[in-house]
Amino acid sequence: MKVKQEVRELFPTPLWVLDIAAADAAALNAKLKAEIERLIAPRPNVPPGSNWQTPHDLHTRPEFAEFTQLVEVAGRSVAQFLQLEQYPMMITGCWANINPPGSYHPTHNHPNNYLSGVYYVDVSDGAPELVFQDPRPISIMPWSGKLNRVTANAAAEQAIPGRMMIFPSWLRHHVPSNHGVNERISISFNLMFKNFAETAAAPRWKATAGSSSG
Ligand SMILES: [Fe+2]
């Protein structure tokens, strides 16, 4: 008996990975790092294991205009992929994260947003990747030693300088402990449909820095 088998992947979870060419990324990252350093000076005493975040309004600051433009262009290309370009999105928050050795970021998602993303400014060897959790409601994982993208319940994506990742805001993720000897600097951002963000759920961040919680 002849049987034809096909696999249809239902409800895939997209992760957009955008890598800036190395030379361009080096120039951009040097500028971003200098601006972030300026923002956090004088350096606060960050307790071991915790992270530091800048205010969430970087996208409103002229010195981050080049980065903001990059996020807007990336957001539009994702909207085009999703065939949602007729609904303009806006950045609802944009902030830098300083992750010293030993720090980690627990599992979370980004409510009241449609897309979230991160861009890596400074990542040294040994710094952790970003780990996404399986959004399916239950996992049954017989340990075969051969997990693949259908059977695994987590997926890690490498954090490298010049890399931007964009993902659905509902997708839970975490950053494992930084086992490197150097701190890691990244910039996170959220995107939401403009009319929703302006009416139903205006961003609640205030322009203050502090230890991270989300
Ligand atoms: Fe996040």
Side-chain angles (χ1 to χ4, degrees):
M1 191 189 310
K2 275 191 173 175
V3 179
K4 181 183 167 198
Q5 176 183 276
E6 288 183 349
V7 178
R8 310 215 193 286
E9 298 202 341
L10 304 178
F11 313 116
T13 303
L15 168 66
W16 290 272
V17 180
L18 303 93
D19 287 309
I20 297 178
D24 295 336
L28 175 65
N29 289 347
K31 275 189 267 177
L32 289 172
K33 198 175 171 188
E35 290 301 339
I36 292 166
E37 291 286 353
R38 210 189 315 272
L39 265 179
I40 59 175
R43 279 264 179 160
N45 199 7
V46 181
S50 61
N51 300 307
W52 182 259
Q53 290 184 345
T54 66
H56 285 209
D57 63 355
L58 300 193
H59 57 298
T60 67
R61 300 177 184 235
E63 57 272 32
F64 288 90
E66 191 180 4
F67 179 74
T68 302
Q69 204 182 5
L70 196 63
V71 172
E72 286 169 349
V73 170
R76 278 199 295 274
S77 78
V78 167
Q80 208 168 10
F81 178 93
L82 296 168
Q83 297 181 291
L84 292 172
E85 63 268 46
Q86 69 271 42
Y87 302 116
M89 285 189 233
M90 61 181 273
I91 300 173
T92 57
C94 181
W95 64 98
N97 309 286
I98 316 292
N99 306 120
S103 68
Y104 64 96
H105 203 123
T107 303
H108 65 284
N109 54 18
H110 295 233
N112 271 341
N113 290 288
Y114 191 71
L115 297 171
S116 295
V118 62
Y119 173 79
Y120 296 98
V121 176
D122 193 5
V123 185
S124 62
D125 291 344
E129 58 260 292
L130 186 57
V131 181
F132 298 95
Q133 310 296 321
D134 183 356
R136 294 169 292 189
I138 60 166
S139 288
I140 297 173
M141 284 177 49
W143 179 244
S144 65
K146 294 178 193 163
L147 292 176
N148 62 32
R149 70 183 195 280
V150 175
T151 58
N153 71 347
E157 191 65 41
Q158 195 69 38
I160 55 175
R163 169 166 287 179
M164 180 182 284
M165 300 182 205
I166 298 181
F167 47 90
S169 298
W170 49 257
L171 183 59
R172 290 167 67 77
H173 52 282
H174 74 274
V175 183
S177 186
N178 180 356
H179 293 304
V181 292
N182 298 314
E183 67 184 16
R184 188 177 77 158
I185 301 177
S186 60
I187 302 180
S188 297
F189 55 87
N190 288 317
L191 292 157
M192 186 48 176
F193 297 111
K194 202 166 184 291
N195 56 6
F196 182 89
E198 284 176 347
T199 55
R204 284 183 290 170
W205 47 260
K206 293 187 176 66
T208 53
S211 292
S212 76
S213 59

